[in-house]
Amino acid sequence: MDENIVTAIGTPNMALIKYWGKREEKLILPMNSSISMTFDETFNTKTSVLFTDRVPEDSFYINGVRQDLSDKDIMERFAIIDIMRRMAGTTSKAVVVSENSFPTAAGLASSASGIAAMVFAANSALKLGLGTKELSIIARQGSGSSCRSLSGGFVKWEMGSKDDGSDSCIRQIAGPGHWSDIIDIVAIVSKSKKKISSRAGMKQTVANSILYKARPAYAERACAEMEEAILKKDFERLGMLMMKDSNNLHAVMLDTYPPILYLNDVSKQIISSVSELNEVENKIVAAYTFDAGPNANIFTLEKYRSKVEELLSNIEGIESTRISKVGNGPRIIDEDASLIDPSTFKIKSG
Amino acid sequence: MDENIVTAIGTPNMALIKYWGKREEKLILPMNSSISMTFDETFNTKTSVLFTDRVPEDSFYINGVRQDLSDKDIMERFAIIDIMRRMAGTTSKAVVVSENSFPTAAGLASSASGIAAMVFAANSALKLGLGTKELSIIARQGSGSSCRSLSGGFVKWEMGSKDDGSDSCIRQIAGPGHWSDIIDIVAIVSKSKKKISSRAGMKQTVANSILYKARPAYAERACAEMEEAILKKDFERLGMLMMKDSNNLHAVMLDTYPPILYLNDVSKQIISSVSELNEVENKIVAAYTFDAGPNANIFTLEKYRSKVEELLSNIEGIESTRISKVGNGPRIIDEDASLIDPSTFKIKSG
């Protein structure tokens, strides 16, 4: 087959209404719909993909390290390549090289940006010509929430109802240009690798949290309200909904046995400080959300930005902050930016 | 009237199935039943009570400090005195002097031991001759969970169903001698006064936590199972139920808006360490529970005590530990131990 190396850039997404729990494990069908904002390229993952018959086996590198394809987590992520190869009707080996601009597995959804870039690049390398919806269905099967990174702007992952997962796909609520003055201040609290994976954690929550039973229906309603808030650019409503959903998520994690505790003392301080600021301002000017880790994402509007940055600068334990606006979704980049050496079919050195 | 000073000792109780939320604010009627173990006198509150016509006004001292009876929290606690005075048909002024052997308001339920001692002493000073059930109904109206300290052993506070609260009272599940090898290792994480009172916190939870709706029915079932575990001295079942209930409680607190966060990094470490120990031992040898504060209560059996103490000694941030066994409930103590000066009707100096 045509052995072209394709490189794409993908970005993470930050869920405003979270995904936590599968109704079907194999296809990764969620218990509820979720909504996110796709990041701009402040945080990004570059991924080069090559399909070739001239190597004996698949290889997958993340941040320069060759991954063990028999490792369960890696295998599930790499299964995407198998799905796409099957669709293209080829048995060529794959070389996939991925590089994050930010720490892996620290609750920053690096897998989402990586998978989005990989799926986007593979679609082109294999000349599948699939659209966003189809690509999101494939990405979902590698890592659920990554599917939301296949589109820019504000994105809803519809839970769907079909057993084959063909309607569990994304839909763009609003494009990247819709709300240009909303920003996400990502506060890095800890770069440490998280102890429990989301995959294992959510399974335990669904299995034994008593309170979790109330979450899916709540999240579904929250999605409907969130979509409205986004379309109306109603920051106060968006902020309230996202904070409540974050609290709700971490509550059901805590109600899991044994409990899953991602928030630490710094996260708590951020929650308190944001709550106090909103109280003082007598309106919601900032809203926090936490994924499966202690890092905070604090959403605000440009006009409140200095206020929020000052607030955060007074919190001990925040290692750094970076700002993302609404991003455009994945894109193919120039051939010369490739991470694969075209002569060795291995990761480029240096 | 007869102006005798009566002094009683009361002890805290540690809830195994928690009380969090009122269905009626004035009488303090709970949303669910709860179960606790009454502490021995390792932690205790001594309270002297005097009713006299020879002072111009009520006075109430806690740990040597005269309390402001117009302060809302103090007023609600002191309302007990009014109730009992009314029952005795007297208008004498009250002098109440209370001393804790442990830090106040750090999540150690010092109000419970204080109220238990106060009610017990006042019952005698006013010659009301009320029994445990009646006294628990009075204590409940000062501070809900304090009613459980009116009896020793393992105690259930039945939520009751009547509007007048006459069936929202305690019942002893098992006496202090029933389970002599169970111990509670109280790990003091922070002596700081808690930021949000339980009273205010639980009101917010009931008002706006989505997940809370599932708690009362769950807690009611858990009470039934817990009673069985206590009667059978089934430590593993007791441990599992108490940890799950503690997780559940702190989950609904976190699901409150704005969220209520009592657990800190040290609490989290205790939770993880206890969970790991139980995993290694392949059975429950220790069980944690947290009230409205970061301090941990770790229940275990005498035979596992050294193991658990070693575990805790390796956790940074635990300031001290103290052990309580099952206690006997309040008792009247000798006149010469009184905290009130019989000549001045004021707090004894020195």
Side-chain angles (χ1 to χ4, degrees):
Chain A
M1 70 175 299
D2 215 26
E3 286 180 346
N4 57 327
I5 300 169
V6 179
T7 303
I9 276 191
T11 60
N13 66 78
M14 184 42 57
L16 307 173
I17 305 295
K18 312 286 190 186
Y19 153 59
W20 191 257
K22 302 176 178 63
R23 64 177 196 276
E24 206 278 325
E25 294 280 331
K26 180 104 191 60
L27 292 168
I28 308 193
L29 302 176
M31 292 287 281
N32 58 264
S33 303
S34 52
I35 289 177
S36 58
M37 182 186 98
T38 297
F39 281 17
D40 65 23
E41 293 181 6
T42 300
F43 299 98
N44 69 73
T45 304
K46 203 199 269 189
T47 302
S48 295
V49 172
L50 165 69
F51 291 91
T52 176
D53 295 321
R54 291 188 283 168
V55 294
E57 56 179 7
D58 290 336
S59 60
F60 184 21
Y61 298 82
I62 299 179
N63 296 335
V65 179
R66 180 139 183 201
Q67 303 295 306
D68 175 5
L69 291 174
S70 67
D71 175 274
K72 203 167 167 277
D73 276 2
I74 298 298
M75 199 191 293
E76 283 168 321
R77 200 189 288 199
F78 205 74
I80 288 173
I81 293 293
D82 287 324
I83 295 173
M84 296 184 85
R85 236 184 324 220
R86 219 161 35 235
M87 290 172 92
T90 174
T91 54
S92 297
K93 300 303 175 191
V95 181
V96 179
V97 181
S98 199
E99 251 175 39
N100 292 313
S101 71
F102 54 96
T104 311
L108 272 176
S110 59
S111 65
S113 52
I115 288 175
M118 179 167 81
V119 169
F120 208 74
N123 184 41
S124 170
L126 292 167
K127 297 187 171 40
L128 286 167
L130 300 170
T132 302
K133 182 186 160 181
E134 287 72 28
L135 292 180
S136 78
I137 289 173
I138 296 169
R140 191 199 74 215
Q141 297 172 66
S143 163
S145 57
S146 72
C147 72
R148 295 185 310 245
S149 280
L150 261 302
S151 169
F154 293 91
V155 177
K156 184 176 182 191
W157 171 14
E158 302 275 7
M159 64 176 290
S161 60
K162 292 186 185 164
D163 285 346
D164 67 357
S166 60
D167 59 351
S168 188
C169 58
I170 65 166
R171 171 172 65 80
Q172 190 183 64
I173 293 172
H178 169 69
W179 201 344
S180 54
D181 62 335
I182 193 168
I183 57 172
D184 176 4
I185 307 177
V186 182
I188 312 282
V189 167
S190 162
K191 283 185 192 144
S192 62
K193 231 181 150 174
K194 51 188 175 174
K195 275 184 188 165
I196 184 164
S197 75
S198 309
R199 199 179 284 267
M202 64 176 70
K203 199 169 171 177
Q204 286 179 333
T205 300
V206 175
N208 70 34
S209 162
I210 288 126
L211 301 176
Y212 181 76
K213 291 175 181 64
R215 176 162 170 77
Y218 162 69
E220 215 54 37
R221 285 195 307 277
C223 275
E225 287 187 50
M226 178 60 83
E227 181 161 356
E228 226 177 270
I230 291 166
L231 290 172
K232 288 182 179 162
K233 296 196 265 188
D234 181 343
F235 183 75
E236 289 211 60
R237 198 163 171 206
L238 171 132
M240 173 69 93
L241 286 165
M242 66 184 274
M243 288 190 282
K244 282 192 174 178
D245 191 66
S246 176
N247 296 341
N248 187 287
L249 172 74
H250 290 273
V252 298
M253 288 168 169
L254 179 51
D255 187 50
T256 302
Y257 185 83
I260 302 165
L261 299 148
Y262 287 118
L263 305 178
N264 66 17
D265 282 353
V266 184
S267 324
K268 277 177 62 173
Q269 187 55 54
I270 293 170
I271 291 174
S272 305
S273 297
V274 168
S275 300
E276 278 163 32
L277 175 66
N278 290 333
E279 205 164 308
V280 169
E281 298 286 329
N282 205 22
K283 65 183 168 197
I284 292 172
V285 299
Y288 57 80
T289 187
F290 295 84
D291 268 6
N295 295 323
N297 283 255
I298 300 112
F299 280 62
T300 188
L301 297 174
E302 278 290 0
K303 60 183 168 186
Y304 307 132
R305 175 175 169 167
S306 59
K307 212 173 282 224
V308 179
E309 285 183 326
E310 203 203 311
L311 179 92
L312 296 175
S313 72
N314 289 323
I315 299 175
E316 252 181 271
I318 295 180
E319 288 177 13
S320 62
T321 58
R322 276 170 96 169
I323 289 177
S324 177
K325 298 195 161 225
V326 189
N328 295 302
R331 65 185 173 96
I332 302 291
I333 59 172
D334 283 355
E335 223 172 293
D336 55 359
S338 159
L339 301 168
I340 298 172
D341 186 319
S343 55
T344 63
F345 308 121
K346 287 186 178 163
I347 188 168
K348 259 188 195 162
S349 57
Chain B
M1 70 176 298
D2 215 26
E3 286 182 347
N4 57 327
I5 300 169
V6 179
T7 304
I9 277 192
T11 59
N13 65 78
M14 183 42 55
L16 307 174
I17 305 296
K18 312 286 190 186
Y19 153 59
W20 192 258
K22 302 176 177 61
R23 64 177 196 275
E24 206 278 325
E25 293 281 331
K26 180 103 191 61
L27 292 168
I28 309 193
L29 302 177
M31 293 285 282
N32 59 265
S33 303
S34 52
I35 289 178
S36 59
M37 182 186 97
T38 297
F39 280 18
D40 66 24
E41 293 180 7
T42 301
F43 299 98
N44 69 73
T45 304
K46 202 201 270 191
T47 301
S48 295
V49 172
L50 165 70
F51 291 91
T52 176
D53 295 321
R54 291 188 282 171
V55 293
E57 56 179 8
D58 290 336
S59 60
F60 184 21
Y61 298 82
I62 299 178
N63 295 336
V65 179
R66 182 140 181 198
Q67 302 294 306
D68 176 4
L69 291 174
S70 67
D71 176 272
K72 202 166 168 277
D73 276 2
I74 297 299
M75 199 191 293
E76 283 168 320
R77 201 189 287 199
F78 204 73
I80 288 173
I81 292 294
D82 287 324
I83 295 173
M84 297 183 85
R85 234 183 327 219
R86 221 162 34 237
M87 290 172 91
T90 175
T91 55
S92 297
K93 299 303 176 193
V95 182
V96 179
V97 182
S98 199
E99 250 174 40
N100 293 313
S101 71
F102 55 96
T104 311
L108 271 176
S110 59
S111 65
S113 52
I115 287 175
M118 179 167 82
V119 169
F120 207 74
N123 184 41
S124 170
L126 293 167
K127 296 185 172 44
L128 286 168
L130 301 170
T132 302
K133 181 185 159 181
E134 287 72 27
L135 293 179
S136 78
I137 288 174
I138 296 168
R140 191 200 73 216
Q141 297 172 65
S143 164
S145 58
S146 72
C147 72
R148 294 186 309 244
S149 280
L150 261 301
S151 169
F154 293 90
V155 176
K156 184 176 181 191
W157 171 13
E158 301 275 7
M159 65 175 290
S161 61
K162 293 186 185 165
D163 285 345
D164 66 358
S166 60
D167 59 351
S168 188
C169 58
I170 65 166
R171 171 171 66 79
Q172 190 183 63
I173 293 172
H178 169 69
W179 201 344
S180 54
D181 62 336
I182 193 169
I183 57 172
D184 176 3
I185 306 177
V186 182
I188 312 283
V189 166
S190 162
K191 283 185 191 144
S192 63
K193 232 181 147 165
K194 50 187 175 174
K195 276 183 188 166
I196 183 163
S197 74
S198 309
R199 200 179 283 267
M202 65 175 69
K203 199 169 171 178
Q204 287 179 333
T205 301
V206 175
N208 71 34
S209 162
I210 288 127
L211 300 177
Y212 181 75
K213 290 174 181 64
R215 176 162 169 77
Y218 162 69
E220 216 53 39
R221 285 196 307 277
C223 275
E225 286 187 50
M226 179 60 83
E227 181 162 355
E228 226 177 273
I230 290 166
L231 290 173
K232 288 183 179 160
K233 296 197 267 189
D234 181 343
F235 183 76
E236 287 212 60
R237 198 163 170 206
L238 172 132
M240 173 69 92
L241 286 165
M242 66 184 273
M243 288 189 282
K244 282 191 173 176
D245 191 66
S246 176
N247 297 341
N248 187 287
L249 171 74
H250 290 273
V252 298
M253 287 168 170
L254 179 52
D255 186 50
T256 302
Y257 184 84
I260 302 165
L261 298 150
Y262 287 119
L263 305 178
N264 66 16
D265 282 354
V266 184
S267 324
K268 277 177 62 174
Q269 187 55 54
I270 293 170
I271 291 174
S272 305
S273 297
V274 168
S275 301
E276 278 164 31
L277 175 66
N278 290 333
E279 204 163 309
V280 169
E281 297 287 329
N282 205 22
K283 65 183 168 197
I284 292 173
V285 299
Y288 58 80
T289 188
F290 295 84
D291 268 5
N295 294 323
N297 282 255
I298 301 112
F299 280 62
T300 188
L301 298 174
E302 278 291 0
K303 61 182 167 186
Y304 306 132
R305 175 174 170 168
S306 59
K307 212 173 282 225
V308 179
E309 284 183 326
E310 203 203 311
L311 180 91
L312 296 175
S313 71
N314 289 323
I315 299 176
E316 252 181 271
I318 296 181
E319 289 177 12
S320 62
T321 58
R322 276 170 95 170
I323 288 177
S324 177
K325 298 196 160 223
V326 189
N328 295 302
R331 64 185 173 96
I332 303 290
I333 58 172
D334 283 355
E335 223 170 294
D336 55 359
S338 160
L339 301 168
I340 299 172
D341 186 320
S343 54
T344 62
F345 308 121
K346 286 185 179 163
I347 187 168
K348 259 187 194 164
S349 57

